[in-house]
Amino acid sequence: MEDRLKDFVAPGSEEEALLHHLDFSRLPLHIAIIMDGNGRWAEKRNLPRIEGHKAGSRAVKEAVESCFRLGIKYLTLYAFSKENWRRPASEVNMLWELLYDYLRKEDKELVKNKIKLKVIGQREGIPPKVCQELARVEALTRDFESMVVLLALNYGGRTEIVEAVKKIIKENKLKPDQIDENTFSQYLYTAGIPDPDLLIRTSGELRVSNFLLWQIAYAEIWITPDYWPDFSRRHLLQALIDYQKRERRFGAVRHPSAQSLP
Ligand code: IPE
Ligand code: IPE
Ligand code: MG
């Protein structure tokens, strides 16, 4: 583990100070990120939106590496929502091209670090050559366990829930009273994966945009005004430290003695 953190932060940097504040025994098991703001990042620089997506793709690479080095077990990245089809075809096509390039290049890094890639969302609609690459990299990394990266593609939280209901009805194996929260969650795309503990959104938007609606029921939310292409180790460390300061009560009282406080 120490090995993984070698040269992670520069001596004397703000990141180094943040790293000292991190409690490695209380890291979130699962981080989910709504990677937002690529377009605005580009617009601010008078660049075409696609340049923002390219820079965003570099930030993905860095975020995966940073989470791996810190020992985060599950990372879910919202890369393309079902609603994103509403964008101009030229932007949509370029986004798929960028993903294709990412998969062609990053497969080696995933293998080197024994990271499993899993796609969540609907395959139908994704360009066939991208589907092929996704299937290839998923197969290549399927037995890896050091970390799982879930890529949410053509993903919609409501669709995921509707699909789970359909599957339960079609299978016709469960009686109504056998369906509880645990059995239901086994029909979601994320079956077997713990719910996110921490949900990060960049670009300051205060909404969940149809992301993991079921799974984020009790996630802690951390939002930065910075755009996704600028998301760096410093942001990640800050999010983790803020997360560790939160008290997760899950509906209970602060701690048993709090009941007797005035
Ligand atoms: C996030 O950045 C990337 C995707 C949704 C694919 P945006 O493209 O949404 O950037 P903004 O929100 O327009 O700035
Ligand atoms: C959410 O961002 C989807 C992804 C990050 C892939 P959007 O930019 O599409 O969300 P809205 O439109 O601001 O809700
Ligand atoms: Mg956006």
Side-chain angles (χ1 to χ4, degrees), residues 50-84:
I50 188 65
E51 290 304 322
H53 295 310
K54 278 188 194 159
S57 166
R58 291 194 287 276
V60 168
K61 204 169 127 67
E62 180 172 336
V64 171
E65 191 200 322
S66 299
C67 286
F68 168 76
R69 292 178 71 170
L70 289 166
I72 302 298
K73 209 69 197 144
Y74 299 93
L75 173 67
T76 301
L77 299 171
Y78 202 7
F80 193 92
S81 74
K82 281 196 66 132
E83 290 74 24
N84 288 147

Side-chain angles (χ1 to χ4, degrees), residues 36-37 40 49 87 201 203:
D36 196 16
R40 278 163 284 170
R49 288 179 62 87
R87 298 184 178 204
R201 183 165 188 154
S203 92

